[in-house]
């Protein structure tokens, strides 16, 4: 949520700051701003392009910090945009996260007669750092002193006009990394803007602060103890964060699904031994053999992937599983036996605040926490005891598509792996064989996207939509509804198809289309009967089913290849993602950056 970039070195900072903001815009896009040494600050409400147009000739300097905002405190106005400064305009700050005790700090300053320029929590931190800096004019000291007085979450980058050749960054709860380049040092809240400049990065941990100058960097604790941080290499390629000729990242990322499934499976299936290898779980294998219960958590799409994982593990392993949204789980009392229960946290970004906090709570309770995470080196990846990376590559579109598919794929692997730990190999050979065919099945579905586009276009004017499915298709119905809401702003509901006659059938009329997920699985006949009930009330039904199982009455049908029931959710997801995409396209909406949303939700 929100994006930070910074640069200090031998070249002009402004071009990188603007380029970095564009790369990070998917994280927040309601206002943007920058501060460049020697040139000052510039900010604007609206997109980065608006800021860019406002930059005057000669706005340059060899150090600077910048921010693209997703509003938390205060509307998306120019005054509320970052950077923020203190009353003497000495210290300049960009901030991701939330300062929880900002009201008290603000009141303290206001009683002294200081007038605030914005409604943000960030400005109080800028004032506080400014005050400390007045007493001790060493920026890192002032930042550390101020941070000791705030509660909440932050990833910050700070500059002072008296020390133009210095950037101080600090982190607590909001990701921040430092890129080590040939021509200077880079700062970013995620790796995306760094890829074209350097692959060598240092991930800051909570409670750490770094001082960057044109030719040096050091990382310390807030109490100034020097830390020896590992420099890590990012192996994402640059192309993966570009649109490669597609109109939108969302479409490009859906079209990448076949390779994403291949990447999620790569090196993890031994077809000779019919076994699954998950290297990231090797160290906790003994403990996993004896678990009796699993709790899965995540938010949004990751939560729906978790619900599907629950069904997969129950069906393929026989261990009881419950899935809870992370924002609820973190405040629930953990009653499970920590010796026999594990937590599985699912997150594409690995930075979702609620999911991270649920991990911390579970670990406090003594539970083993595993991560199913896409972003390598992210907070959840580092704070879990072990885990499985998705290897979906960077996902830029706010709507999760390829990452969701990779989460489902990893859950299938995890389920077979857990079964294998208990009962040896050989129990799910058919699922393993079919897993390796999934990329081709996905290619077949994507190559028929024209049909999906036509169906979506025919319904683009819809006001509401309903998604129904049963068993494995039940969580996928929820995911389909979420996708449609998110990118097309259509009111969409999801139900277990069997629930319709317990109330929601009352909504059905000829204007309310239903998307029925009914591949040939163990509940096909049951779902079909439920769908007939919708049709009997004049409801229009768009059918998603397996080849050869199309009901005779269907006029709008999307087919997928037949496979093992446990893998069908991966395939039914694709038409839903395309349906949402094409509906939003028809409606002329900003698909990659839907209103009010941000890619990575790093605040509670
Ligand atoms: O990065 P995470 O997977 O933890 O994100 C969780 C949700 O915020 C995310 O899935 C969100 O619901 C997506 N925008 C859905 O498309």
């Amino acid at each position: 949520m929100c994006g930070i970039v910074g640069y200090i070195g031998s070249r002009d900072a402004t071009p990188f700051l603007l380029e970095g903001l564009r790369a990070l815009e998917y994280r927040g896009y309601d206002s943007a701003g920058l501060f460049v040494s020697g040139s000052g600050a510039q900010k604007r409400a609206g997109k980065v392009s608006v800021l860019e147009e406002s930059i005057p000739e000669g706005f340059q300097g060899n150090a600077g910090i910048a921010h693209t905002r997703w509003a938390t405190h205060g509307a998306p106005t120019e005054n509320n945009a970052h950077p923020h400064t203190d009353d003497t305009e000495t210290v300049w700050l960009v901030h991701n996260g939330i300062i929880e005790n900002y009201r008290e700090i603000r009141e303290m300053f206001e009683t002294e007669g200081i007038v605030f320029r914005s409604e943000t929590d960030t400005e109080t931190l800028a004032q506080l750092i400014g005050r400390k800096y007045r007493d001790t004019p060493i920026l890192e000291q002032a930042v550390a002193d101020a941070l000791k007085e705030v509660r909440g979450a932050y990833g910050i980058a700070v500059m002072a006009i008296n020390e133009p050749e210095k950037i101080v960054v600090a982190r607590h709860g909001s990701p921040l990394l430092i890129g080590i380049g040939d021509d200077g040092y880079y700062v970013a809240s995620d790796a995306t803007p760094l890829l074209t400049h350097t692959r060598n990065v240092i991930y800051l941990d909570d409670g750490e602060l770094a001082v960057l100058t044109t030719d040096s960097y050091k990382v310390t604790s807030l109490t100034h103890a020097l830390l020896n941080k590992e420099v890590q290499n990012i192996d994402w390629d640059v192309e993966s964060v570009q649109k490669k000729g597609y109109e939108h990242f969302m479409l490009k990322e859906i079209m990448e699904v076949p390779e994403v499934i291949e990447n999620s499976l790569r090196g993890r299936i031994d077809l000779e031994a019919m076994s699954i290898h998950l290297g990231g779980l090797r160290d906790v294998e003994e403990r996993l053999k004896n678990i009796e219960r699993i709790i899965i958590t995540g938010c949004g799409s990751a939560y729906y992937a978790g619900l599907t994982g629950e069904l997969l593990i129950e069906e393929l392993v026989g261990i009881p599983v419950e899935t809870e949204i992370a924002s609820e789980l973190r405040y629930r009392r953990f009653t499970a036996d920590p010796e026999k229960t594990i937590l599985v946290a699912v997150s594409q970004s690995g930075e979702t605040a609620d999911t991270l906090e649920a991990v911390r709570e579970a670990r406090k309770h003594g539970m083993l926490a595993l991560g199913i995470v896409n972003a390598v080196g992210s907070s959840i990846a580092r704070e879990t005891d072990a885990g499985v990376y998705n290897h979906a590559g960077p996902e830029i579109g706010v709507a999760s598509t390829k990452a969701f598919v990779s989460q489902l794929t990893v859950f299938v692997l995890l389920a077979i792996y857990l079964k294998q730990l208990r009962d040896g190999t050989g129990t799910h050979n058919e699922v393993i064989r079919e897993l390796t065919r999934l990329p081709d099945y996905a290619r077949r579905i994507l190559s028929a996207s024209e049909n999906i586009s036509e169906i979506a276009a025919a319904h683009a004017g819809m006001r509401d939509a309903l998604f129904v499915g049963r068993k494995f298709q039940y969580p996928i119905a929820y995911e389909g509804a979420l996708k449609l809401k998110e990118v097309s702003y259509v009111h969409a509901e999801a139900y277990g198809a069997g629930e319709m006659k317990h109330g929601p059938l009352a909504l059905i009329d000829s204007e309310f289309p239903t998307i029925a997920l009914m591949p040939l699985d163990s509940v096909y006949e049951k779902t079909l009967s439920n769908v007939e009930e919708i049709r009997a009330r004049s409801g229009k039904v768009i059918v998603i089913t397996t080849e050869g199982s199309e009901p005779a009455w269907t006029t709008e049908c999307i087919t997928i290849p037949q496979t093992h029931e446990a893998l069908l959710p991966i395939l039914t997801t694709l038409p839903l993602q395309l349906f949402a995409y094409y509906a939003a396209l028809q409606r002329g909406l900003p698909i990659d950056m839907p209103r009010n949303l941000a890619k990575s939700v790093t605040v509670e």
Side-chain angles (χ1 to χ4, degrees):
M1 212 145 235
C2 306
I4 288 179
V5 278
Y7 170 78
I8 184 161
S10 55
R11 64 192 185 99
D12 179 17
T14 309
F16 167 72
L17 295 179
L18 292 170
E19 170 199 320
L21 287 183
R22 279 193 301 272
L24 282 180
E25 204 170 18
Y26 71 107
R27 297 183 67 111
Y29 31 82
D30 57 41
S31 51
L34 74 175
F35 174 83
V36 170
S37 60
S39 288
Q42 193 74 8
K43 46 191 190 172
R44 285 290 180 273
K47 297 226 168 190
V48 174
S49 53
V50 180
L51 174 72
E52 211 168 342
E53 280 160 22
S54 77
I55 302 287
E57 232 4 71
F59 192 90
Q60 57 188 42
N62 67 335
I65 52 179
H67 188 266
T68 173
R69 180 169 184 251
W70 186 87
T72 56
H73 293 71
T77 60
E78 189 168 312
N79 277 357
N80 289 335
H82 299 214
H84 288 284
T85 186
D86 64 314
D87 57 317
T88 61
E89 299 193 7
T90 304
V91 159
W92 290 86
L93 163 73
V94 293
H95 165 226
N96 285 355
I98 291 178
I99 304 301
E100 285 166 6
N101 57 336
Y102 81 100
R103 280 196 193 83
E104 313 156 20
I105 303 172
R106 186 171 173 133
E107 268 167 33
M108 181 186 87
F109 282 109
E110 282 175 339
T111 48
E112 290 176 17
I114 296 209
V115 179
F116 278 70
R117 303 172 182 91
S118 78
E119 303 151 87
T120 63
D121 52 331
T122 303
E123 191 183 351
T124 58
L125 181 55
Q127 294 284 9
L128 196 58
I129 297 173
R131 178 60 54 90
K132 302 286 178 194
Y133 193 67
R134 199 177 66 187
D135 300 340
T136 315
I138 302 168
L139 190 57
E140 57 272 36
Q141 178 76 51
V143 169
D145 289 349
L147 291 179
K148 285 176 198 144
E149 293 179 22
V150 299
R151 283 196 314 274
Y154 54 78
I156 56 171
V158 196
M159 292 185 71
I161 50 170
N162 306 349
E163 295 178 270
E165 306 263 293
K166 188 189 274 182
I167 299 177
V168 174
V169 296
R171 164 193 167 136
H172 182 81
S174 269
L176 215 52
L177 43 107
I178 299 166
I180 300 168
D182 295 335
D183 55 0
Y185 298 101
Y186 297 81
V187 175
S189 48
D190 76 43
T192 325
L194 302 187
L195 295 179
T196 41
H197 300 277
T198 179
R199 296 313 176 94
N200 299 325
V201 301
I202 293 172
Y203 293 95
L204 285 191
D205 284 307
D206 283 354
E208 292 179 352
L209 175 149
V211 184
L212 313 178
T213 66
T214 45
D215 54 7
S216 71
Y217 75 90
K218 70 173 176 189
V219 183
T220 70
S221 67
L222 287 189
T223 51
H224 310 292
L226 198 60
L227 302 169
N228 191 7
K229 298 283 291 182
E230 188 191 347
V231 178
Q232 299 190 31
N233 187 267
I234 314 173
D235 60 5
W236 288 353
D237 62 32
V238 176
E239 282 212 322
S240 62
V241 294
Q242 294 166 347
K243 284 192 199 150
K244 286 196 217 154
Y246 286 98
E247 196 177 343
H248 295 99
F249 278 109
M250 182 176 176
L251 184 60
K252 176 205 160 213
E253 287 162 0
I254 298 170
M255 293 300 173
E256 280 172 359
V257 159
E259 294 89 76
V260 165
I261 300 173
E262 276 160 4
N263 289 342
S264 298
L265 298 179
R266 182 159 297 120
R268 291 170 169 169
I269 296 183
D270 180 342
L271 275 176
E272 261 176 44
M274 278 298 178
S275 63
I276 302 297
H277 299 279
L278 296 176
L281 301 185
R282 203 169 297 129
D283 292 347
V284 294
E285 219 166 71
E286 282 311 308
R287 200 152 163 201
L288 291 179
K289 279 183 186 158
N290 301 315
I291 53 167
E292 290 177 2
R293 186 173 162 193
I294 297 178
I295 301 173
I296 300 176
T297 197
C299 302
S301 293
Y303 166 69
Y304 297 134
L307 281 179
T308 318
E310 171 179 330
L311 294 165
L312 285 165
I313 295 171
E314 285 186 355
E315 189 87 2
L316 301 179
V317 196
I319 303 175
V321 185
E322 64 207 88
T323 307
E324 176 65 289
I325 46 177
S327 50
E328 290 301 320
L329 183 66
R330 62 182 288 188
Y331 293 113
R332 277 176 65 174
R333 186 169 154 202
F334 281 86
T335 52
D337 176 353
E339 289 303 310
K340 298 190 174 133
T341 313
I342 61 162
L343 179 86
V344 179
V346 189
S347 176
Q348 185 284 128
S349 62
E351 301 294 350
T352 301
D354 286 319
T355 312
L356 180 58
E357 214 41 58
V359 167
R360 289 176 178 159
E361 286 300 317
R363 294 189 77 209
K364 251 190 244 162
H365 187 67
M367 247 181 235
L368 183 82
L370 306 184
I372 295 181
V373 173
N374 190 36
V376 175
S378 57
S379 303
I380 296 174
R382 286 179 295 141
E383 291 203 27
T384 40
D385 297 288
V388 186
Y389 279 121
N390 299 23
H391 299 314
E395 191 178 63
I396 307 294
V398 164
S400 182
T401 53
K402 62 175 182 172
F404 178 76
V405 172
S406 70
Q407 286 160 352
L408 299 183
T409 310
V410 169
F411 265 118
V412 178
L413 291 171
L414 179 65
I416 305 173
Y417 172 83
L418 291 174
K419 177 72 174 163
Q420 199 177 284
L421 287 183
R422 306 182 144 224
D423 301 325
T425 53
T427 51
H428 294 305
N429 291 356
E430 183 52 19
V431 187
I432 295 180
R433 264 191 293 274
E434 281 296 289
L435 261 177
T436 63
R437 295 179 187 135
L438 273 183
D440 283 338
Y441 295 158
R443 278 187 195 100
R444 262 159 67 184
I445 298 169
L446 296 175
S447 67
S449 64
E450 187 74 28
N451 173 36
I452 304 171
S453 154
E454 280 165 17
I455 295 175
H459 292 274
M462 67 198 143
R463 217 188 53 187
D464 313 281
L466 176 72
F467 291 74
V468 292
R470 297 188 76 149
K471 200 175 175 184
F472 285 117
Q473 299 304 323
Y474 167 61
I476 303 305
Y478 276 89
E479 172 61 9
L482 175 63
K483 218 83 307 173
L484 188 66
K485 284 182 240 200
E486 223 177 350
V487 296
S488 74
Y489 312 157
V490 170
H491 163 239
E493 300 250 5
Y495 272 93
E499 268 293 290
M500 287 302 294
K501 51 179 141 338
H502 299 287
L505 259 188
L507 295 171
I508 297 298
D509 61 21
S510 59
E511 301 295 306
F512 199 142
T514 297
I515 293 91
L517 301 176
M518 40 184 289
L520 189 60
D521 58 10
S522 56
V523 289
Y524 175 78
E525 296 294 339
K526 304 279 173 205
T527 315
L528 187 58
S529 309
N530 301 138
V531 170
E532 293 289 3
E533 290 155 10
I534 294 171
R535 292 186 62 239
R537 272 94 193 156
S538 315
K540 285 195 195 111
V541 179
I542 300 163
V543 169
I544 298 181
T545 190
T546 35
E547 289 153 359
S549 308
E550 304 88 328
W553 45 260
T554 188
T555 51
E556 293 183 304
C557 186
I558 302 163
T559 56
I560 59 166
Q562 182 64 57
T563 182
H564 190 283
E565 172 175 59
L567 305 183
L568 285 169
I570 297 176
L571 299 185
T572 49
T573 293
L574 296 180
L576 297 184
Q577 293 179 347
L578 286 170
F579 180 78
Y581 172 77
Y582 287 119
L585 191 68
Q586 285 288 326
R587 293 163 79 97
L589 294 170
I591 294 178
D592 287 331
M593 297 183 211
R595 68 183 179 204
N596 306 338
L597 300 180
K599 181 66 181 164
S600 173
V601 185
T602 50
V603 293
E604 187 177 350

